[in-house]
Amino acid sequence: MQFEVWAPLTGHVAMRLDDATYDMAPDPDREGWWVVRAPAADGSRYGFLLGEDPVPRPDPRGRRLPDGPDGLSAVVTPDSLVPHRAPPPRVPLQDAVLYELHVGTFTPEGTFDAAAARLGHLTGLGVTHVELMPVCSFPGRHGWGYDGVAPWSVHEPYGGPAGLARFVDAAHAAGLGVVLDVVHNHLGPSGNHLPAFGPYFTDTHHTPWGAAVNLDAPGSDEVRAYFLGSALAWLRDYGIDGLRLDAVHALADGRALTFLEELAAAVDDLAAESGRPLFLIAESDRCDPRTTTARGSGGLGLHAQWNDDFHHALHCALTGESQGYYGDFAAAPLAALAKTMTRAFFHDGTWSSFRGRTHGRPVDRRRTPAHRFLGYTQTHDQIGNRALGDRLSASLSPGLLACAATVALTGPFVPMLFMGEEWGAGTPWQYFTDHPDPELAEAVRTGRRREFAAHGWKAEEIPDPQDPATRDRSRLDWTEPGQGAHARLLAWYRTLVTLRRTHPDLRDPDLAAVRVAYDEERRWLTFRRGDVRVVVNLSPDPATIALGRNGVRVLASWEPVEHPGPDGRVHVPGESAVVLGP
């Protein structure tokens, strides 16, 4: 078997393989690369000795780290990643309903195999794709995954690379696609060995998490190839159907051909080669339609992006919160929601009080289909970054939760759910870590308490991220979906997903065709998607709303609603929603 590593910062590299040591030779065709051939089998442990350093370091491109990021890598043979390889579903993004889940808290066991055993719940719900939060190796056992330090590897406590391969195969066999959240903008603060190998990071730019990944300084060609190769490996070797790219606005890249354009082109090429509908979904804070504009038209060519503006407007309309970035949306939340539903971005060159400047760029609705954006009521960020990790279900009535779901699942954007929201989970989803380094653990604990103390919280009220109980509280309670109000809300979600699948008007990509009316004072909003009309009443008081003489009838309602009379008026109970069609 051939082993190779890019290590341009040293004059000598050797490989430790099981109990043997092999000197590596420079590759004559690739500057900075070292190669050696050695006998190895699946599971063989190995690492690289750089210069005079007597401690072997794991392979930057290693697929498996059985003992964590500071241990040796283990050989992973291609056969171990192909359990059965069920054919993937061919659901285009326009028709998708995504479900974001965290492997470590989706089930009590917190493994890929345990998550796979729950896929029947997702197929019964009607979603089309599972979006996994990051699964790259990170120190400790439990964490969100955004502190990953080995972008080619799979976290061992979840089940390692073989476990991920089994999960993808089980999802495909169940008719579900798989999207993986990947982080290219930074690595975690502990267990990162890349700087010893080469100029993977640069002081030219900085991010909120420290030194920036080197995408445009000397040596960046190999660094870009490293991250691009890891992204393609998830799609090619594991059969994953799409990637969610974390915080692309934090990718500092001043080159004419940006990393994101290069990645998008490579994914499109792989999709054409494999005949599979692969896609990239960006998380971006820029409110810039060029993120998803075709490369031929001057854009980056990514396939979709999260739409936090839609979330913020809907959140304010539901909760009345106005702190932080919600302040931009809170003055007239239904007006803000109507704008996002028809123009995608609220900030499209408008003043942002949170940023202290104007922000964003308008979306050309004639050229930009609605499925370029994902819409959601909750995400891991919007719950977990709150002081107590409280879900909407902790403060809203079942009726308002039903209204929120109705807007997201019948609205113009590709819907995404966060695990457990479909039954109004009573469990929080809090920020938790498991840093083995006691100094880092204390810094994280103290920093989080200091952050929320500035907003009036008492330190003792903020959950300790390092306390195992914080993670335990965040696990879903699978006894809830069959109980009372939880079961009723779950049935409503299933109804809405079915309506979206069976009514093409609800998947119409034409943003310019969406029509919205609202009453800010009486707290109701109605919108039209082709021949389908949707009404949500956020007020506790009933509302009578004129829909016009269009002959629609009730398709589904949270509370009982009579069909509109000849005058086209519909009477909607308080905190309820209704979907009407011909």
Side-chain angles (χ1 to χ4, degrees):
M1 176 180 290
Q2 177 159 306
F3 293 83
E4 56 185 30
V5 66
W6 183 59
L9 303 182
T10 181
H12 179 263
V13 181
M15 183 182 69
R16 181 78 51 80
L17 176 63
D18 293 330
D19 295 325
T21 301
Y22 301 84
D23 285 328
M24 303 184 74
D27 187 326
D29 300 321
R30 295 180 297 169
E31 184 177 355
W33 281 86
W34 301 77
V35 296
V36 69
R37 293 193 66 84
D42 189 73
S44 294
R45 304 293 183 91
Y46 72 102
F48 297 113
L49 297 159
L50 305 177
E52 301 301 320
D53 189 345
V55 179
R57 297 179 184 270
D59 183 358
R61 285 175 167 77
R63 302 297 183 93
R64 186 180 173 209
L65 293 166
D67 302 313
D70 290 320
L72 293 176
S73 298
V75 171
V76 176
T77 59
D79 290 346
S80 67
L81 301 182
V82 188
H84 301 290
R85 194 52 67 88
R90 298 182 178 275
V91 179
L93 197 54
Q94 178 178 337
D95 297 333
V97 177
L98 281 70
Y99 187 96
E100 185 188 22
L101 71 82
H102 176 263
V103 174
T105 51
F106 185 59
T107 65
E109 300 85 353
T111 64
F112 291 122
D113 289 339
R118 293 285 183 181
L119 291 177
H121 169 79
L122 303 187
T123 57
L125 179 58
V127 301
T128 63
H129 291 76
V130 181
E131 181 176 310
L132 299 177
M133 289 175 60
V135 301
C136 292
S137 297
F138 56 86
R141 181 175 182 84
H142 303 300
W144 279 19
Y146 295 93
D147 283 338
V149 293
W152 288 66
S153 71
V154 181
H155 195 49
E156 191 72 13
Y158 290 168
L164 175 60
R166 289 193 301 271
F167 177 86
V168 174
D169 193 61
H172 286 172
L176 296 168
V178 180
V179 180
L180 178 64
D181 195 337
V182 295
V183 183
H184 295 144
N185 52 60
H186 76 289
L187 270 70
S190 176
N192 176 12
H193 293 271
L194 291 184
F197 286 90
Y200 282 90
F201 299 88
T202 175
D203 292 330
T204 304
H205 310 288
H206 291 274
T207 74
W209 311 282
V213 171
N214 178 16
L215 298 178
D216 59 5
S220 59
D221 283 1
E222 289 289 358
V223 177
R224 289 159 71 111
Y226 172 80
F227 285 100
L228 191 148
S230 71
L232 295 179
W234 300 118
L235 303 172
R236 182 186 60 243
D237 301 340
Y238 291 90
I240 285 171
D241 304 284
L243 301 176
R244 183 260 190 187
L245 309 178
D246 181 67
V248 300
H249 52 268
L251 291 172
D253 183 1
R255 291 170 62 162
L257 176 63
T258 66
F259 170 75
L260 288 175
E261 292 173 79
E262 195 174 356
L263 174 60
V267 170
D268 287 346
D269 288 345
L270 180 59
E273 174 188 331
S274 63
R276 297 167 54 208
L278 307 175
F279 51 82
L280 298 172
I281 301 171
E283 179 198 19
S284 176
D285 184 46
R286 292 195 181 101
C287 289
D288 187 351
R290 289 175 295 191
T291 301
T292 58
T293 298
R295 294 184 299 281
S297 299
L300 301 181
L302 305 183
H303 305 93
Q305 59 184 305
W306 281 24
N307 189 351
D308 274 353
D309 279 13
F310 169 80
H311 167 273
H312 297 346
L314 179 56
H315 186 92
C316 289
L318 292 164
T319 68
E321 292 183 12
S322 60
Q323 72 277 14
Y325 47 69
Y326 290 135
D328 288 346
F329 303 83
L334 290 180
L337 182 57
K339 181 177 180 180
T340 63
M341 294 180 71
T342 55
R343 299 183 180 276
F345 296 143
F346 177 77
H347 288 302
D348 53 5
T350 56
W351 174 258
S352 170
S353 62
F354 176 71
R355 299 175 177 89
R357 58 172 174 81
T358 55
H359 185 70
R361 184 185 184 100
V363 169
D364 184 345
R365 297 187 297 167
R366 298 166 302 172
R367 301 173 57 191
T368 307
H371 57 259
R372 294 288 183 234
F373 306 95
L374 267 63
Y376 36 83
T377 68
Q378 300 173 82
T379 70
H380 74 274
D381 270 333
Q382 302 302 338
I383 301 171
N385 286 332
R386 296 171 69 85
L388 303 180
D390 49 313
R391 297 169 178 263
L392 287 176
S393 54
S395 57
L396 298 185
S397 68
L400 287 179
L401 295 177
C403 288
T406 304
V407 175
L409 284 165
T410 64
F413 308 126
V414 175
M416 185 181 72
L417 316 179
F418 180 70
M419 62 177 196
E421 77 162 80
E422 69 274 20
W423 71 74
T427 51
W429 204 76
Q430 299 175 333
Y431 180 68
F432 54 89
T433 57
D434 186 26
H435 294 300
D437 181 345
E439 291 187 7
L440 177 59
E442 182 58 32
V444 170
R445 179 186 297 115
T446 303
R448 188 158 178 88
R449 287 176 172 170
R450 184 184 303 116
E451 174 189 355
F452 286 104
H455 296 282
W457 294 87
K458 296 179 180 179
E460 61 271 17
E461 295 175 330
I462 307 304
D464 179 359
Q466 286 286 121
D467 186 347
T470 303
R471 179 260 176 181
D472 292 343
R473 282 191 296 271
S474 301
R475 293 182 297 185
L476 290 178
D477 178 357
W478 284 95
T479 67
E480 288 183 340
Q483 300 175 2
H486 295 298
R488 183 186 176 197
L489 186 62
L490 177 58
W492 181 244
Y493 268 81
R494 287 172 174 158
T495 296
L496 294 172
V497 174
T498 299
L499 286 172
R500 187 174 189 91
R501 184 179 65 249
T502 56
H503 286 73
D505 283 344
L506 295 180
R507 304 190 307 277
D508 183 359
D510 187 359
L511 266 177
V514 181
R515 297 288 183 267
V516 183
Y518 59 91
D519 187 315
E520 202 81 63
E521 183 177 351
R522 297 173 62 202
R523 288 177 48 74
W524 59 256
L525 177 141
T526 179
F527 55 94
R528 181 169 184 168
R529 308 284 318 282
D531 289 330
V532 177
R533 303 293 293 269
V534 180
V535 181
V536 292
N537 180 12
L538 305 182
S539 168
D541 301 319
T544 299
I545 300 158
L547 299 179
R549 300 177 184 274
N550 50 23
V552 294
R553 297 176 66 79
V554 172
L555 300 177
S557 61
W558 173 250
E559 297 288 357
V561 173
E562 296 291 332
H563 299 299
D567 60 358
R569 295 178 179 272
V570 61
H571 306 282
V572 184
E575 299 184 352
S576 187
V578 57
V579 183
L580 308 101

